[in-house]
Amino acid sequence: MLRGAAGGVSTVDLLAPMVIGGIGMGMVFVPLFDIVMAGVRPQEMGSASGVLQTVNSLGMSLGIAGIGAIFFALVSGRGGHVPVYLHAAEWTALATVGLLACSFVLGFGLPRRAREQ
């Protein structure tokens, strides 16, 4: 997508990948939270839910910081030319796809059902 846009990246160019990513995240997070909360006793649900949200927020923040660090490490010291930013964005996107692929593989280790019937 970034190579095809060749310096003129707009919101329309990134719309399809963002929609696909959002749908995928919606399909993963709800069942994942159900699976994580399945082993918690009912009297501890409130505390466990708070810890889960906190760890989720922390993980997202660290992930964004890590991906941002990759991007700015690739851009630093090379000037402010568009091809430099596109090159850095391509490698950052590849790193993100690699991390998503690892998460996909690890997802097969999760239980198939949240609670026993």
Side-chain angles (χ1 to χ4, degrees):
M1 185 64 63
L2 293 171
R3 284 187 185 168
V9 179
S10 69
T11 304
V12 175
D13 295 326
L14 298 177
L15 186 62
M18 296 291 253
V19 167
I20 292 169
I23 290 170
M25 288 172 66
M27 292 173 59
V28 168
F29 277 116
V30 173
L32 179 64
F33 284 8
D34 286 345
I35 289 169
V36 170
M37 295 297 289
V40 178
R41 293 184 298 209
Q43 62 268 26
E44 296 175 344
M45 284 284 190
S47 298
S49 176
V51 169
L52 178 61
Q53 291 297 330
T54 301
V55 170
N56 182 39
S57 296
L58 180 63
M60 287 184 168
S61 299
L62 291 175
I64 290 170
I67 294 297
I70 292 171
F71 177 80
F72 286 110
L74 291 169
V75 169
S76 67
R78 293 193 188 173
H81 303 291
V82 171
V84 173
Y85 286 104
L86 286 176
H87 174 74
E90 287 174 3
W91 280 104
T92 304
L94 286 174
T96 303
V97 168
L99 290 170
L100 287 171
C102 290
S103 299
F104 180 76
V105 170
L106 291 173
F108 286 107
L110 292 172
R112 297 284 180 221
R113 297 187 192 277
R115 294 186 187 265
E116 294 298 322
Q117 299 297 333

